[in-house]
Structure formats: structure tokens, C-alpha cells
Amino acid sequence: AQSVSQHNHHVILSEAASLELGCNYSYGGTVNLFWYVQYPGQHLQLLLKYFSGDPLVKGIKGFEAEFIKSKFSFNLRKPSVQWSDTAEYFCAPKSPNTGNQFYFGTGTSLTVIP
Amino acid sequence: DAGITQSPRHKVTETGTPVTLRCHQTENHRYMYWYRQDPGHGLRLIHYSYGVKDTDKGEVSDGYSVSRSKTEDFLLTLESATSSQTSVYFCAISERRDREAFFGQGTRLTVV
């Protein structure tokens, strides 16, 4: 778990503001990357994923993420947030270097004010 | 949603009693995981399985054991529940070790 870092623990935005949540990992070599969202009282759901190819990936609900290999980063973005985006967001890399485990970042809590 | 069922969904138990949580999947996925979620700690991996009878420890395995005798079932046992194990427990499954995981609805466990 120490190899996944989400810098922002709690973010508060007004509706229509832009969002960027940071995620850094420390695995070398091949890595697959995921962002999950957890709405209040619910389980985690996959938001988007990156395996290879275009480093800019688009997910559901207008979210996108950019993989920057040189920076070991996979930041999540959304141009204009809505109140319904209030949730907790988790970054999770998967790498053969970590064996069969699947570790998550500590999460970022996003509150969107109407 | 993937076919994952956790049971029970809610449980209150007393300190010192054993507790078993069940995760059942209908996807025939090889990998299964147990996590606990606590405020300020995110998701922490307790144990995981990479096949029938193949399990290993995660980062917070003390006080927990697991078993997987069938592909579809992954059991988490708290051998002697303590108040520090009050948490929300999530099960997840994955088809391959490098692929995304799908989560169950969670079990809210309270140890009094």
C-alpha cells in the first residue's frame, strides 16, 4: 500500500469547477492502472482503466485520466464536476512486481457544493 | 454488476467470539480478495486467493484467516473478534491478476 500515493485527502469544489486528483505509484516496469469511485454508502465501482496505448483514457461520467510513465503518475480529471460526483476516489495500480496482491491508495474524498 | 454476494451484510458480535464472513461469486474468477475499509485508512488488503486452496496474507492479516475450498467461495474468519476489527469488509474478484477487480456490496461488522 505504501507504493500508491494519493496526495489529496479531501477536496471541496463548487459545481462546474474542474477536478484533478493526483495518483503516484512506485512500481517499475509494466503496470496497469485503475481508478475506482465509491458513492456514499455504496461499494467501489470501476471508473476507468489503463492497460497500454493512448496514455489519455476516458472513463464513465466524463472522467478521464492521463498516464505519465516518466512521472509514475495517473491523475484523474474532470472538466466540470457535478454535485452527483461527491464520492470517494481510489487509485489502484496492478503490476507483476507485486505478485498477486492488489493494493489501493488511501483515497480522496470529493465534496461538490451545489 | 458482477455476480458477487457477501453475507451477512450487517453483523453485530461480541468481543472474543469467532465470526465468519462469506463471499460468493458466480463469475468463475480465479482471484479473490478481502479488504477492510476504515476512515482515514482507505482500503487495506487482509488476505487474497489466487486459486482453490491457494491463499496468502495481505498487509493487515493479523487476527484473520481465510479459506477457499471452491472457486466460488472465499471465507474470512475473525478467530476472536476485537473492537479494532469493527469495520466495513469488502470482497473483490478478478479474472486475471493484472485486470480490474469487481467488488461486493460489503459487510458492516460491529464488535461490541
Side-chain angles (χ1 to χ4, degrees), chain A residues 1-2 32 34 36 38 42-44 46 49 51 88 90 94 96 99-107, chain B residues 1 31 33 35 37 41-43 45 48 50 58-59 90 94 96-105:
Chain A
Q2 300 92 324
N32 295 334
F34 308 92
Y36 285 80
Q38 184 180 31
Q42 296 189 23
H43 63 293
L44 274 77
L46 184 67
K49 58 188 176 184
F51 294 144
E88 191 139 13
F90 294 93
K94 256 194 178 184
N100 296 310
Q101 297 96 321
F102 190 15
Y103 291 117
F104 286 75
T106 52
Chain B
D1 283 348
Y31 296 87
Y33 311 84
Y35 296 88
Q37 184 176 27
H41 292 277
L43 280 167
L45 181 64
Y48 60 96
Y50 46 97
E59 56 189 316
F90 285 100
S94 183
R96 291 169 42 172
R97 71 173 187 174
D98 61 345
R99 289 295 187 252
E100 64 268 37
F102 299 97
F103 282 79
Q105 299 287 333

Side-chain angles (χ1 to χ4, degrees), chain B residues 63-74:
Chain B
Y64 301 95
S65 61
V66 290
S67 66
R68 191 167 178 202
S69 58
K70 298 183 290 184
T71 298
E72 57 266 35
D73 288 325
F74 192 32

Side-chain angles (χ1 to χ4, degrees), chain B residues 10-31:
Chain B
H10 301 271
K11 186 171 181 65
V12 179
T13 192
E14 293 187 349
T15 298
T17 60
V19 176
T20 295
L21 308 182
R22 181 184 185 226
C23 178
H24 177 79
Q25 59 143 330
T26 58
E27 306 295 325
N28 201 37
H29 283 356
R30 179 180 174 187
Y31 296 87

Side-chain angles (χ1 to χ4, degrees), chain A:
Chain A
Q2 300 92 324
S3 53
V4 185
S5 176
Q6 291 185 240
H7 319 296
N8 319 98
H9 296 293
H10 197 157
V11 174
I12 302 173
L13 295 173
S14 297
E15 274 193 318
S18 63
L19 170 71
E20 181 159 3
L21 302 181
C23 173
N24 285 91
Y25 61 94
S26 58
Y27 309 138
T30 302
V31 62
N32 295 334
L33 295 150
F34 308 92
W35 274 98
Y36 285 80
V37 60
Q38 184 180 31
Y39 298 105
Q42 296 189 23
H43 63 293
L44 274 77
Q45 303 170 47
L46 184 67
L47 197 55
L48 49 77
K49 58 188 176 184
Y50 172 79
F51 294 144
S52 64
D54 189 342
L56 185 63
V57 294
K58 296 191 183 300
I60 61 173
K61 304 186 180 187
F63 285 91
E64 63 181 30
E66 184 175 14
F67 170 54
I68 303 179
K69 187 173 182 179
S70 61
K71 294 185 178 180
F72 296 88
S73 70
F74 190 55
N75 292 351
L76 181 71
R77 300 197 292 247
K78 187 171 184 179
S80 176
V81 296
Q82 301 173 315
W83 175 78
S84 57
D85 293 324
T86 294
E88 191 139 13
Y89 293 83
F90 294 93
C91 175
K94 256 194 178 184
S95 167
N97 296 333
T98 59
N100 296 310
Q101 297 96 321
F102 190 15
Y103 291 117
F104 286 75
T106 52
T108 297
S109 175
L110 171 67
T111 301
V112 180
I113 302 170

